[in-house]
Amino acid sequence: MSPGSGARPGARAYPMRRTMFVLAVLGALICGGYLAVREAVRWAVAHPGPALGVGAVVLPLLVVVVVVAVRGMPRLRELRRAARAGKAEAEAEVAAMAAAAPVAEAVPAVEVEAADAAPWRVEDFLALDADGFEQAIARLCERDGCRDVQVVGGAGDLGADVLATASDGRRLIIQCKRYGETNKVGSQDVQRFGGTCFTVHEAEVAAVVSTSTFTEPAADYAATCGIRCFDGERLVAWANGDGAAPWG
């Protein structure tokens, strides 16, 4: 990058326009003066008597104007130097005031400790939508040491909502059931999950986590297949650190 490449484009354009304007004005004055002198000479030649009278009046005035202009040039230069000095002094004063101004200190971020946070309730999980509930379960897995946590719930998930690797290295598959208190997880829900969690997803730990409870047939089927059932009470205990995780 060249030394002057950081200057604004208008910084050079403005002096150039001003120079062109001054040159144009000077050219107009020179041309006008030449034409005026030429016409005056022609008139004086044609009318010598009146020309002498006019010259006797105009020439002293021209001499006075030239003398005043010559004497005023040093004063004008002095005024310009004073103006530049005053501008520089004002800029230095503004810079000094800015440097002396107190710098506002950044307000430190307040971190809320887990112990000060309100405990989780089942209602807190029910307040989330289905996607938010799956994300909450995934965050709890990450909190408790799981790696490679993924939320894969949705169409075509084949029963798996959260995939992860437990802290001891086992492959964890969780299905999330955000059900109301009166809507229990039935045996068909668990059977559909049981048909894919081990054979398709190759789970070493399979769990169904719900905000509700499980019917007795669902719990029996889960126990037979080795699927862990986490109802709303166990979920809240896990979230608050008072109970075991689904892979524990």
Side-chain angles (χ1 to χ4, degrees):
M1 181 180 294
S2 61
S5 60
R8 296 176 301 164
R12 295 182 178 179
Y14 177 73
M16 181 62 68
R17 289 196 299 268
R18 183 173 59 185
T19 302
M20 296 299 294
F21 175 78
V22 171
L23 291 176
V25 172
L26 289 176
L29 291 175
I30 292 172
C31 292
Y34 169 75
L35 294 175
V37 170
R38 187 180 66 177
E39 293 300 321
V41 170
R42 288 180 179 178
W43 179 81
V45 171
H47 307 85
L52 291 175
V54 173
V57 176
V58 173
L59 287 177
L61 291 176
L62 290 175
V63 172
V64 172
V65 171
V66 171
V67 171
V68 172
V70 172
R71 290 184 176 180
M73 290 180 63
R75 177 59 178 168
L76 181 61
R77 287 195 296 268
E78 182 180 350
L79 290 175
R80 288 180 177 176
R81 285 196 298 268
R84 287 195 295 267
K87 181 181 179 181
E89 183 178 353
E91 290 176 348
E93 183 177 353
V94 171
M97 292 176 62
V103 178
E105 296 183 358
V107 179
V110 179
E111 295 184 1
V112 179
E113 298 292 338
D116 298 333
W120 282 91
R121 303 171 304 163
V122 172
E123 290 77 10
D124 298 325
F125 290 103
L126 288 174
L128 304 172
D129 59 17
D131 293 338
F133 180 56
E134 293 171 2
Q135 292 289 340
I137 299 303
R139 299 292 79 79
L140 289 174
C141 292
E142 290 181 339
R143 184 198 68 180
D144 291 350
C146 288
R147 307 185 308 274
D148 305 321
V149 180
Q150 300 178 56
V151 177
V152 295
D157 60 8
L158 297 177
D161 294 321
V162 177
L163 309 179
T165 301
S167 55
D168 57 5
R170 291 177 297 169
R171 181 171 175 78
L172 171 66
I173 308 296
I174 296 178
Q175 185 179 72
C176 302
K177 291 296 184 182
R178 177 186 163 277
Y179 286 173
E181 181 179 357
T182 59
N183 186 15
K184 297 182 178 182
V185 181
S187 60
Q188 290 184 350
D189 295 323
V190 181
Q191 288 175 20
R192 283 192 292 269
F193 180 57
T196 60
C197 62
F198 296 108
T199 58
V200 176
H201 300 295
E202 300 179 346
E204 294 179 89
V205 179
V208 178
V209 177
S210 176
T211 50
S212 183
T213 57
F214 293 79
T215 63
E216 184 174 353
D220 292 340
Y221 177 84
T224 302
C225 298
I227 298 173
R228 306 187 182 193
C229 295
F230 257 57
D231 58 15
E233 182 178 351
R234 298 183 69 183
L235 169 61
V236 168
W238 174 34
N240 291 324
D242 300 326
W247 61 91

PDB file of all heavy atoms in Angstrom, residues 190-225:
ATOM      1  N   VAL A 190     -42.697 -47.179  23.532  1.00  0.00           N
ATOM      2  CA  VAL A 190     -41.439 -47.814  23.902  1.00  0.00           C
ATOM      3  C   VAL A 190     -41.071 -48.911  22.903  1.00  0.00           C
ATOM      4  O   VAL A 190     -39.891 -49.106  22.578  1.00  0.00           O
ATOM      5  CB  VAL A 190     -41.524 -48.380  25.336  1.00  0.00           C
ATOM      6  CG1 VAL A 190     -40.212 -49.026  25.734  1.00  0.00           C
ATOM      7  CG2 VAL A 190     -41.879 -47.279  26.326  1.00  0.00           C
ATOM      8  N   GLN A 191     -42.081 -49.661  22.403  1.00  0.00           N
ATOM      9  CA  GLN A 191     -41.793 -50.714  21.441  1.00  0.00           C
ATOM     10  C   GLN A 191     -41.202 -50.163  20.141  1.00  0.00           C
ATOM     11  O   GLN A 191     -40.278 -50.743  19.576  1.00  0.00           O
ATOM     12  CB  GLN A 191     -43.072 -51.503  21.144  1.00  0.00           C
ATOM     13  CG  GLN A 191     -43.539 -52.397  22.289  1.00  0.00           C
ATOM     14  CD  GLN A 191     -44.863 -53.065  22.014  1.00  0.00           C
ATOM     15  OE1 GLN A 191     -45.279 -53.183  20.853  1.00  0.00           O
ATOM     16  NE2 GLN A 191     -45.539 -53.502  23.062  1.00  0.00           N
ATOM     17  N   ARG A 192     -41.744 -49.026  19.657  1.00  0.00           N
ATOM     18  CA  ARG A 192     -41.192 -48.421  18.441  1.00  0.00           C
ATOM     19  C   ARG A 192     -39.739 -48.009  18.651  1.00  0.00           C
ATOM     20  O   ARG A 192     -38.891 -48.207  17.772  1.00  0.00           O
ATOM     21  CB  ARG A 192     -42.034 -47.213  18.030  1.00  0.00           C
ATOM     22  CG  ARG A 192     -43.342 -47.579  17.348  1.00  0.00           C
ATOM     23  CD  ARG A 192     -43.978 -46.367  16.700  1.00  0.00           C
ATOM     24  NE  ARG A 192     -44.436 -45.400  17.702  1.00  0.00           N
ATOM     25  CZ  ARG A 192     -45.659 -45.405  18.222  1.00  0.00           C
ATOM     26  NH1 ARG A 192     -46.549 -46.324  17.849  1.00  0.00           N
ATOM     27  NH2 ARG A 192     -46.011 -44.504  19.105  1.00  0.00           N
ATOM     28  N   PHE A 193     -39.447 -47.481  19.811  1.00  0.00           N
ATOM     29  CA  PHE A 193     -38.068 -47.094  20.114  1.00  0.00           C
ATOM     30  C   PHE A 193     -37.187 -48.325  20.252  1.00  0.00           C
ATOM     31  O   PHE A 193     -36.048 -48.373  19.762  1.00  0.00           O
ATOM     32  CB  PHE A 193     -38.034 -46.264  21.401  1.00  0.00           C
ATOM     33  CG  PHE A 193     -36.673 -45.815  21.825  1.00  0.00           C
ATOM     34  CD1 PHE A 193     -35.865 -45.066  20.980  1.00  0.00           C
ATOM     35  CD2 PHE A 193     -36.166 -46.158  23.069  1.00  0.00           C
ATOM     36  CE1 PHE A 193     -34.612 -44.642  21.380  1.00  0.00           C
ATOM     37  CE2 PHE A 193     -34.903 -45.748  23.473  1.00  0.00           C
ATOM     38  CZ  PHE A 193     -34.121 -44.992  22.620  1.00  0.00           C
ATOM     39  N   GLY A 194     -37.717 -49.375  20.899  1.00  0.00           N
ATOM     40  CA  GLY A 194     -36.955 -50.595  21.088  1.00  0.00           C
ATOM     41  C   GLY A 194     -36.615 -51.292  19.784  1.00  0.00           C
ATOM     42  O   GLY A 194     -35.622 -52.033  19.692  1.00  0.00           O
ATOM     43  N   GLY A 195     -37.437 -51.068  18.756  1.00  0.00           N
ATOM     44  CA  GLY A 195     -37.179 -51.720  17.487  1.00  0.00           C
ATOM     45  C   GLY A 195     -36.036 -51.100  16.699  1.00  0.00           C
ATOM     46  O   GLY A 195     -35.572 -51.699  15.726  1.00  0.00           O
ATOM     47  N   THR A 196     -35.561 -49.918  17.094  1.00  0.00           N
ATOM     48  CA  THR A 196     -34.484 -49.250  16.340  1.00  0.00           C
ATOM     49  C   THR A 196     -33.264 -48.860  17.171  1.00  0.00           C
ATOM     50  O   THR A 196     -32.172 -48.740  16.630  1.00  0.00           O
ATOM     51  CB  THR A 196     -35.026 -47.966  15.677  1.00  0.00           C
ATOM     52  OG1 THR A 196     -35.527 -47.084  16.705  1.00  0.00           O
ATOM     53  CG2 THR A 196     -36.138 -48.285  14.686  1.00  0.00           C
ATOM     54  N   CYS A 197     -33.474 -48.667  18.465  1.00  0.00           N
ATOM     55  CA  CYS A 197     -32.373 -48.091  19.261  1.00  0.00           C
ATOM     56  C   CYS A 197     -31.137 -48.987  19.282  1.00  0.00           C
ATOM     57  O   CYS A 197     -30.002 -48.482  19.251  1.00  0.00           O
ATOM     58  CB  CYS A 197     -32.842 -47.787  20.679  1.00  0.00           C
ATOM     59  SG  CYS A 197     -33.379 -49.226  21.633  1.00  0.00           S
ATOM     60  N   PHE A 198     -31.328 -50.308  19.311  1.00  0.00           N
ATOM     61  CA  PHE A 198     -30.178 -51.212  19.364  1.00  0.00           C
ATOM     62  C   PHE A 198     -29.749 -51.683  17.971  1.00  0.00           C
ATOM     63  O   PHE A 198     -28.560 -51.698  17.647  1.00  0.00           O
ATOM     64  CB  PHE A 198     -30.511 -52.430  20.248  1.00  0.00           C
ATOM     65  CG  PHE A 198     -30.760 -52.072  21.683  1.00  0.00           C
ATOM     66  CD1 PHE A 198     -32.039 -52.128  22.221  1.00  0.00           C
ATOM     67  CD2 PHE A 198     -29.720 -51.674  22.508  1.00  0.00           C
ATOM     68  CE1 PHE A 198     -32.271 -51.794  23.557  1.00  0.00           C
ATOM     69  CE2 PHE A 198     -29.942 -51.351  23.832  1.00  0.00           C
ATOM     70  CZ  PHE A 198     -31.226 -51.397  24.363  1.00  0.00           C
ATOM     71  N   THR A 199     -30.713 -52.047  17.157  1.00  0.00           N
ATOM     72  CA  THR A 199     -30.369 -52.631  15.856  1.00  0.00           C
ATOM     73  C   THR A 199     -29.948 -51.580  14.833  1.00  0.00           C
ATOM     74  O   THR A 199     -29.036 -51.813  14.032  1.00  0.00           O
ATOM     75  CB  THR A 199     -31.569 -53.411  15.300  1.00  0.00           C
ATOM     76  OG1 THR A 199     -32.701 -52.541  15.190  1.00  0.00           O
ATOM     77  CG2 THR A 199     -31.922 -54.571  16.215  1.00  0.00           C
ATOM     78  N   VAL A 200     -30.613 -50.421  14.834  1.00  0.00           N
ATOM     79  CA  VAL A 200     -30.316 -49.373  13.846  1.00  0.00           C
ATOM     80  C   VAL A 200     -29.264 -48.401  14.374  1.00  0.00           C
ATOM     81  O   VAL A 200     -28.276 -48.105  13.698  1.00  0.00           O
ATOM     82  CB  VAL A 200     -31.600 -48.612  13.450  1.00  0.00           C
ATOM     83  CG1 VAL A 200     -31.271 -47.453  12.505  1.00  0.00           C
ATOM     84  CG2 VAL A 200     -32.607 -49.566  12.811  1.00  0.00           C
ATOM     85  N   HIS A 201     -29.462 -47.913  15.570  1.00  0.00           N
ATOM     86  CA  HIS A 201     -28.570 -46.882  16.128  1.00  0.00           C
ATOM     87  C   HIS A 201     -27.413 -47.478  16.936  1.00  0.00           C
ATOM     88  O   HIS A 201     -26.539 -46.729  17.376  1.00  0.00           O
ATOM     89  CB  HIS A 201     -29.365 -45.931  17.021  1.00  0.00           C
ATOM     90  CG  HIS A 201     -30.473 -45.218  16.288  1.00  0.00           C
ATOM     91  ND1 HIS A 201     -30.243 -44.326  15.269  1.00  0.00           N
ATOM     92  CD2 HIS A 201     -31.821 -45.299  16.432  1.00  0.00           C
ATOM     93  CE1 HIS A 201     -31.400 -43.850  14.826  1.00  0.00           C
ATOM     94  NE2 HIS A 201     -32.381 -44.435  15.508  1.00  0.00           N
ATOM     95  N   GLU A 202     -27.445 -48.802  17.133  1.00  0.00           N
ATOM     96  CA  GLU A 202     -26.353 -49.497  17.828  1.00  0.00           C
ATOM     97  C   GLU A 202     -26.088 -48.889  19.207  1.00  0.00           C
ATOM     98  O   GLU A 202     -24.953 -48.620  19.594  1.00  0.00           O
ATOM     99  CB  GLU A 202     -25.076 -49.476  16.995  1.00  0.00           C
ATOM    100  CG  GLU A 202     -25.235 -50.158  15.638  1.00  0.00           C
ATOM    101  CD  GLU A 202     -23.962 -50.115  14.809  1.00  0.00           C
ATOM    102  OE1 GLU A 202     -23.046 -49.339  15.165  1.00  0.00           O
ATOM    103  OE2 GLU A 202     -23.888 -50.863  13.816  1.00  0.00           O
ATOM    104  N   ALA A 203     -27.167 -48.656  19.939  1.00  0.00           N
ATOM    105  CA  ALA A 203     -27.042 -48.065  21.266  1.00  0.00           C
ATOM    106  C   ALA A 203     -26.433 -49.063  22.243  1.00  0.00           C
ATOM    107  O   ALA A 203     -26.711 -50.264  22.193  1.00  0.00           O
ATOM    108  CB  ALA A 203     -28.412 -47.626  21.773  1.00  0.00           C
ATOM    109  N   GLU A 204     -25.580 -48.528  23.113  1.00  0.00           N
ATOM    110  CA  GLU A 204     -25.103 -49.301  24.262  1.00  0.00           C
ATOM    111  C   GLU A 204     -25.882 -48.908  25.510  1.00  0.00           C
ATOM    112  O   GLU A 204     -25.964 -49.685  26.457  1.00  0.00           O
ATOM    113  CB  GLU A 204     -23.609 -49.044  24.466  1.00  0.00           C
ATOM    114  CG  GLU A 204     -22.760 -49.573  23.312  1.00  0.00           C
ATOM    115  CD  GLU A 204     -21.293 -49.277  23.531  1.00  0.00           C
ATOM    116  OE1 GLU A 204     -20.606 -50.110  24.159  1.00  0.00           O
ATOM    117  OE2 GLU A 204     -20.835 -48.197  23.070  1.00  0.00           O
ATOM    118  N   VAL A 205     -26.432 -47.692  25.485  1.00  0.00           N
ATOM    119  CA  VAL A 205     -27.364 -47.236  26.519  1.00  0.00           C
ATOM    120  C   VAL A 205     -28.525 -46.584  25.798  1.00  0.00           C
ATOM    121  O   VAL A 205     -28.342 -45.639  25.024  1.00  0.00           O
ATOM    122  CB  VAL A 205     -26.719 -46.223  27.484  1.00  0.00           C
ATOM    123  CG1 VAL A 205     -27.743 -45.757  28.517  1.00  0.00           C
ATOM    124  CG2 VAL A 205     -25.506 -46.832  28.170  1.00  0.00           C
ATOM    125  N   ALA A 206     -29.748 -47.093  26.021  1.00  0.00           N
ATOM    126  CA  ALA A 206     -30.952 -46.548  25.416  1.00  0.00           C
ATOM    127  C   ALA A 206     -31.887 -46.084  26.517  1.00  0.00           C
ATOM    128  O   ALA A 206     -32.102 -46.793  27.503  1.00  0.00           O
ATOM    129  CB  ALA A 206     -31.647 -47.581  24.534  1.00  0.00           C
ATOM    130  N   ALA A 207     -32.421 -44.863  26.376  1.00  0.00           N
ATOM    131  CA  ALA A 207     -33.289 -44.316  27.420  1.00  0.00           C
ATOM    132  C   ALA A 207     -34.409 -43.502  26.788  1.00  0.00           C
ATOM    133  O   ALA A 207     -34.233 -42.862  25.750  1.00  0.00           O
ATOM    134  CB  ALA A 207     -32.489 -43.440  28.378  1.00  0.00           C
ATOM    135  N   VAL A 208     -35.563 -43.567  27.430  1.00  0.00           N
ATOM    136  CA  VAL A 208     -36.692 -42.719  27.081  1.00  0.00           C
ATOM    137  C   VAL A 208     -36.871 -41.729  28.217  1.00  0.00           C
ATOM    138  O   VAL A 208     -37.113 -42.131  29.364  1.00  0.00           O
ATOM    139  CB  VAL A 208     -37.986 -43.545  26.873  1.00  0.00           C
ATOM    140  CG1 VAL A 208     -39.158 -42.616  26.559  1.00  0.00           C
ATOM    141  CG2 VAL A 208     -37.810 -44.561  25.762  1.00  0.00           C
ATOM    142  N   VAL A 209     -36.762 -40.443  27.904  1.00  0.00           N
ATOM    143  CA  VAL A 209     -36.876 -39.383  28.918  1.00  0.00           C
ATOM    144  C   VAL A 209     -38.174 -38.642  28.657  1.00  0.00           C
ATOM    145  O   VAL A 209     -38.414 -38.144  27.556  1.00  0.00           O
ATOM    146  CB  VAL A 209     -35.678 -38.413  28.850  1.00  0.00           C
ATOM    147  CG1 VAL A 209     -35.853 -37.296  29.861  1.00  0.00           C
ATOM    148  CG2 VAL A 209     -34.381 -39.158  29.096  1.00  0.00           C
ATOM    149  N   SER A 210     -39.022 -38.550  29.682  1.00  0.00           N
ATOM    150  CA  SER A 210     -40.338 -37.948  29.510  1.00  0.00           C
ATOM    151  C   SER A 210     -40.659 -36.990  30.648  1.00  0.00           C
ATOM    152  O   SER A 210     -40.103 -37.114  31.764  1.00  0.00           O
ATOM    153  CB  SER A 210     -41.416 -39.039  29.437  1.00  0.00           C
ATOM    154  OG  SER A 210     -42.707 -38.475  29.371  1.00  0.00           O
ATOM    155  N   THR A 211     -41.554 -36.054  30.369  1.00  0.00           N
ATOM    156  CA  THR A 211     -42.056 -35.152  31.411  1.00  0.00           C
ATOM    157  C   THR A 211     -43.248 -35.778  32.128  1.00  0.00           C
ATOM    158  O   THR A 211     -43.748 -35.215  33.102  1.00  0.00           O
ATOM    159  CB  THR A 211     -42.505 -33.820  30.771  1.00  0.00           C
ATOM    160  OG1 THR A 211     -43.376 -34.104  29.670  1.00  0.00           O
ATOM    161  CG2 THR A 211     -41.310 -33.036  30.253  1.00  0.00           C
ATOM    162  N   SER A 212     -43.716 -36.922  31.645  1.00  0.00           N
ATOM    163  CA  SER A 212     -44.866 -37.595  32.240  1.00  0.00           C
ATOM    164  C   SER A 212     -44.412 -38.882  32.939  1.00  0.00           C
ATOM    165  O   SER A 212     -43.276 -38.963  33.414  1.00  0.00           O
ATOM    166  CB  SER A 212     -45.898 -37.888  31.144  1.00  0.00           C
ATOM    167  OG  SER A 212     -47.049 -38.470  31.688  1.00  0.00           O
ATOM    168  N   THR A 213     -45.268 -39.866  32.966  1.00  0.00           N
ATOM    169  CA  THR A 213     -44.954 -41.164  33.565  1.00  0.00           C
ATOM    170  C   THR A 213     -45.154 -42.251  32.515  1.00  0.00           C
ATOM    171  O   THR A 213     -45.569 -41.981  31.383  1.00  0.00           O
ATOM    172  CB  THR A 213     -45.871 -41.443  34.771  1.00  0.00           C
ATOM    173  OG1 THR A 213     -47.240 -41.378  34.341  1.00  0.00           O
ATOM    174  CG2 THR A 213     -45.644 -40.420  35.880  1.00  0.00           C
ATOM    175  N   PHE A 214     -44.848 -43.499  32.875  1.00  0.00           N
ATOM    176  CA  PHE A 214     -44.952 -44.632  31.961  1.00  0.00           C
ATOM    177  C   PHE A 214     -46.075 -45.546  32.433  1.00  0.00           C
ATOM    178  O   PHE A 214     -46.280 -45.756  33.636  1.00  0.00           O
ATOM    179  CB  PHE A 214     -43.632 -45.405  31.919  1.00  0.00           C
ATOM    180  CG  PHE A 214     -42.484 -44.622  31.305  1.00  0.00           C
ATOM    181  CD1 PHE A 214     -41.809 -43.662  32.037  1.00  0.00           C
ATOM    182  CD2 PHE A 214     -42.087 -44.873  30.009  1.00  0.00           C
ATOM    183  CE1 PHE A 214     -40.749 -42.956  31.483  1.00  0.00           C
ATOM    184  CE2 PHE A 214     -41.038 -44.177  29.437  1.00  0.00           C
ATOM    185  CZ  PHE A 214     -40.376 -43.205  30.171  1.00  0.00           C
ATOM    186  N   THR A 215     -46.770 -46.113  31.470  1.00  0.00           N
ATOM    187  CA  THR A 215     -47.761 -47.122  31.846  1.00  0.00           C
ATOM    188  C   THR A 215     -47.030 -48.381  32.317  1.00  0.00           C
ATOM    189  O   THR A 215     -45.834 -48.565  32.022  1.00  0.00           O
ATOM    190  CB  THR A 215     -48.672 -47.468  30.653  1.00  0.00           C
ATOM    191  OG1 THR A 215     -47.876 -48.054  29.611  1.00  0.00           O
ATOM    192  CG2 THR A 215     -49.388 -46.231  30.136  1.00  0.00           C
ATOM    193  N   GLU A 216     -47.736 -49.249  33.015  1.00  0.00           N
ATOM    194  CA  GLU A 216     -47.101 -50.465  33.524  1.00  0.00           C
ATOM    195  C   GLU A 216     -46.633 -51.366  32.387  1.00  0.00           C
ATOM    196  O   GLU A 216     -45.498 -51.881  32.442  1.00  0.00           O
ATOM    197  CB  GLU A 216     -48.076 -51.214  34.438  1.00  0.00           C
ATOM    198  CG  GLU A 216     -47.478 -52.434  35.080  1.00  0.00           C
ATOM    199  CD  GLU A 216     -48.410 -53.083  36.094  1.00  0.00           C
ATOM    200  OE1 GLU A 216     -49.474 -52.472  36.383  1.00  0.00           O
ATOM    201  OE2 GLU A 216     -48.088 -54.183  36.561  1.00  0.00           O
ATOM    202  N   PRO A 217     -47.426 -51.568  31.303  1.00  0.00           N
ATOM    203  CA  PRO A 217     -46.923 -52.384  30.182  1.00  0.00           C
ATOM    204  C   PRO A 217     -45.675 -51.786  29.534  1.00  0.00           C
ATOM    205  O   PRO A 217     -44.770 -52.527  29.134  1.00  0.00           O
ATOM    206  CB  PRO A 217     -48.100 -52.426  29.208  1.00  0.00           C
ATOM    207  CG  PRO A 217     -49.303 -52.211  30.054  1.00  0.00           C
ATOM    208  CD  PRO A 217     -48.863 -51.244  31.104  1.00  0.00           C
ATOM    209  N   ALA A 218     -45.617 -50.457  29.449  1.00  0.00           N
ATOM    210  CA  ALA A 218     -44.441 -49.803  28.858  1.00  0.00           C
ATOM    211  C   ALA A 218     -43.213 -50.036  29.726  1.00  0.00           C
ATOM    212  O   ALA A 218     -42.123 -50.345  29.215  1.00  0.00           O
ATOM    213  CB  ALA A 218     -44.698 -48.308  28.696  1.00  0.00           C
ATOM    214  N   ALA A 219     -43.376 -49.918  31.041  1.00  0.00           N
ATOM    215  CA  ALA A 219     -42.252 -50.144  31.955  1.00  0.00           C
ATOM    216  C   ALA A 219     -41.797 -51.600  31.896  1.00  0.00           C
ATOM    217  O   ALA A 219     -40.583 -51.870  31.943  1.00  0.00           O
ATOM    218  CB  ALA A 219     -42.659 -49.760  33.372  1.00  0.00           C
ATOM    219  N   ASP A 220     -42.744 -52.535  31.794  1.00  0.00           N
ATOM    220  CA  ASP A 220     -42.380 -53.944  31.722  1.00  0.00           C
ATOM    221  C   ASP A 220     -41.604 -54.242  30.437  1.00  0.00           C
ATOM    222  O   ASP A 220     -40.596 -54.966  30.453  1.00  0.00           O
ATOM    223  CB  ASP A 220     -43.633 -54.824  31.784  1.00  0.00           C
ATOM    224  CG  ASP A 220     -44.306 -54.770  33.143  1.00  0.00           C
ATOM    225  OD1 ASP A 220     -43.617 -54.388  34.117  1.00  0.00           O
ATOM    226  OD2 ASP A 220     -45.521 -55.092  33.209  1.00  0.00           O
ATOM    227  N   TYR A 221     -42.075 -53.696  29.307  1.00  0.00           N
ATOM    228  CA  TYR A 221     -41.381 -53.935  28.040  1.00  0.00           C
ATOM    229  C   TYR A 221     -39.980 -53.324  28.084  1.00  0.00           C
ATOM    230  O   TYR A 221     -39.008 -53.943  27.628  1.00  0.00           O
ATOM    231  CB  TYR A 221     -42.182 -53.335  26.884  1.00  0.00           C
ATOM    232  CG  TYR A 221     -41.489 -53.479  25.542  1.00  0.00           C
ATOM    233  CD1 TYR A 221     -41.619 -54.656  24.797  1.00  0.00           C
ATOM    234  CD2 TYR A 221     -40.680 -52.461  25.031  1.00  0.00           C
ATOM    235  CE1 TYR A 221     -40.969 -54.805  23.576  1.00  0.00           C
ATOM    236  CE2 TYR A 221     -40.033 -52.594  23.813  1.00  0.00           C
ATOM    237  CZ  TYR A 221     -40.180 -53.767  23.094  1.00  0.00           C
ATOM    238  OH  TYR A 221     -39.533 -53.917  21.884  1.00  0.00           O
ATOM    239  N   ALA A 222     -39.871 -52.138  28.637  1.00  0.00           N
ATOM    240  CA  ALA A 222     -38.564 -51.484  28.721  1.00  0.00           C
ATOM    241  C   ALA A 222     -37.605 -52.302  29.567  1.00  0.00           C
ATOM    242  O   ALA A 222     -36.424 -52.473  29.216  1.00  0.00           O
ATOM    243  CB  ALA A 222     -38.725 -50.078  29.301  1.00  0.00           C
ATOM    244  N   ALA A 223     -38.090 -52.846  30.671  1.00  0.00           N
ATOM    245  CA  ALA A 223     -37.221 -53.645  31.532  1.00  0.00           C
ATOM    246  C   ALA A 223     -36.762 -54.914  30.821  1.00  0.00           C
ATOM    247  O   ALA A 223     -35.612 -55.345  30.973  1.00  0.00           O
ATOM    248  CB  ALA A 223     -37.971 -53.998  32.824  1.00  0.00           C
ATOM    249  N   THR A 224     -37.642 -55.498  30.020  1.00  0.00           N
ATOM    250  CA  THR A 224     -37.290 -56.708  29.285  1.00  0.00           C
ATOM    251  C   THR A 224     -36.211 -56.440  28.236  1.00  0.00           C
ATOM    252  O   THR A 224     -35.305 -57.261  28.028  1.00  0.00           O
ATOM    253  CB  THR A 224     -38.539 -57.295  28.598  1.00  0.00           C
ATOM    254  OG1 THR A 224     -39.536 -57.574  29.589  1.00  0.00           O
ATOM    255  CG2 THR A 224     -38.216 -58.563  27.840  1.00  0.00           C
ATOM    256  N   CYS A 225     -36.311 -55.287  27.576  1.00  0.00           N
ATOM    257  CA  CYS A 225     -35.371 -54.957  26.483  1.00  0.00           C
ATOM    258  C   CYS A 225     -34.120 -54.228  26.965  1.00  0.00           C
ATOM    259  O   CYS A 225     -33.204 -53.996  26.156  1.00  0.00           O
ATOM    260  CB  CYS A 225     -36.079 -54.111  25.441  1.00  0.00           C
ATOM    261  SG  CYS A 225     -37.456 -54.916  24.633  1.00  0.00           S
TER     262      CYS A 225
END
